[in-house]
Amino acid sequence: MVTTAPADAMPRSAQLRQGPAGALVPKRRVPLLVGGLLLVLLCAGVFALMQMSRDASVAVLAVARPVAAGQQLTTADLRIAHVVPDPSVPLVRAADLPQVTGRSTAVPLSEGSLLALSQLGPPAYPQQGQAVVAVAIKPGRAPARLSAGAAVRVVTIVKDTGSTTPPPAANPVAAVVVDMSPTVDGTGTRVVSLLLAEADATRIAAAGSDLALILVGIPS
């Protein structure tokens, strides 16, 4: 004959593992439930932060293509961008597009930059102490994807005079690309307008030498 002990006589560990109708309750269920709850709370927090960031962004105007100083803006020159605005920078809201169209730019505008109110108005370019000079750049003397707004170094190509002692190379000159024309002849030569210090512009224009451009970055 088989006898069974009453429930209160069973070991306490066995009672804790035994559920309704004799079902066993795994000990690992509680940590899993806690971990799942924490994961849900974390996801909810991330979603709330993303939603708050999205609600804080506003639609502003950005430059869709390079614009020269003094040029009148058109709708093709601008696009809409969503950003979280900085109170110290007076950006132009997208709703003000009709008021901005037709106004002149005070300075050159680089593609991808955000349009600010301070960039509009009578041309104030170049500033005192600066100058814009046009130089002819032959094929292979500038990066292929050079564009307006890029910071470059202007290097003077030393000509071969046949002397055993070549002349010293001139120091590179810092400049910013303002504009680039299409090729002007069958050799692929392009005219590049550069913004640089007035003294450097005078020296570059009077040099009469071949030049090369080294791309060093895009100013922020």
Side-chain angles (χ1 to χ4, degrees):
M1 181 178 65
V2 179
T3 59
T4 58
D8 56 358
M10 295 177 63
R12 182 171 181 79
S13 59
Q15 294 183 37
L16 292 176
R17 292 194 302 267
Q18 190 173 18
L24 296 180
V25 180
K27 287 185 177 182
R28 297 182 179 179
R29 177 174 297 179
V30 173
L32 290 175
L33 290 176
V34 174
L37 179 60
L38 292 176
L39 181 60
V40 171
L41 293 176
L42 178 61
C43 293
V46 172
F47 178 78
L49 290 176
M50 293 177 60
Q51 190 66 29
M52 291 175 60
S53 176
R54 181 180 303 176
D55 294 340
S57 65
V58 296
V60 299
L61 294 178
V63 182
R65 59 186 181 183
V67 179
Q71 179 178 329
Q72 290 186 340
L73 289 175
T74 66
T75 54
D77 298 323
L78 303 171
R79 62 180 178 84
I80 297 177
H82 292 83
V83 299
V84 178
D86 183 350
S88 62
V89 181
L91 300 177
V92 180
R93 300 296 181 99
D96 296 332
L97 177 62
Q99 288 74 29
V100 171
T101 303
R103 293 189 59 181
S104 299
T105 57
V107 295
L109 304 180
S110 301
E111 181 180 354
S113 61
L114 300 179
L115 184 65
L117 291 174
S118 59
Q119 297 172 324
L120 303 177
Y125 174 84
Q127 299 180 357
Q128 186 176 1
Q130 295 182 329
V132 176
V133 62
V135 297
I137 303 298
K138 295 180 179 180
R141 299 284 174 83
R145 296 191 178 185
L146 193 66
S147 60
V152 296
R153 296 291 184 267
V154 185
V155 179
T156 301
I157 305 299
V158 178
K159 294 183 178 180
D160 185 7
T161 60
S163 175
T164 57
T165 305
N171 294 328
V173 175
V176 176
V177 177
V178 176
D179 192 18
M180 296 185 65
S181 71
T183 54
V184 296
D185 57 24
T187 64
T189 300
R190 303 183 68 179
V191 176
V192 181
S193 297
L194 300 173
L195 173 68
L196 62 170
E198 186 175 352
D200 292 332
T202 302
R203 181 162 55 88
I204 292 295
S209 303
D210 289 342
L211 301 174
L213 301 180
I214 301 174
L215 179 65
V216 296
I218 300 177
S220 58

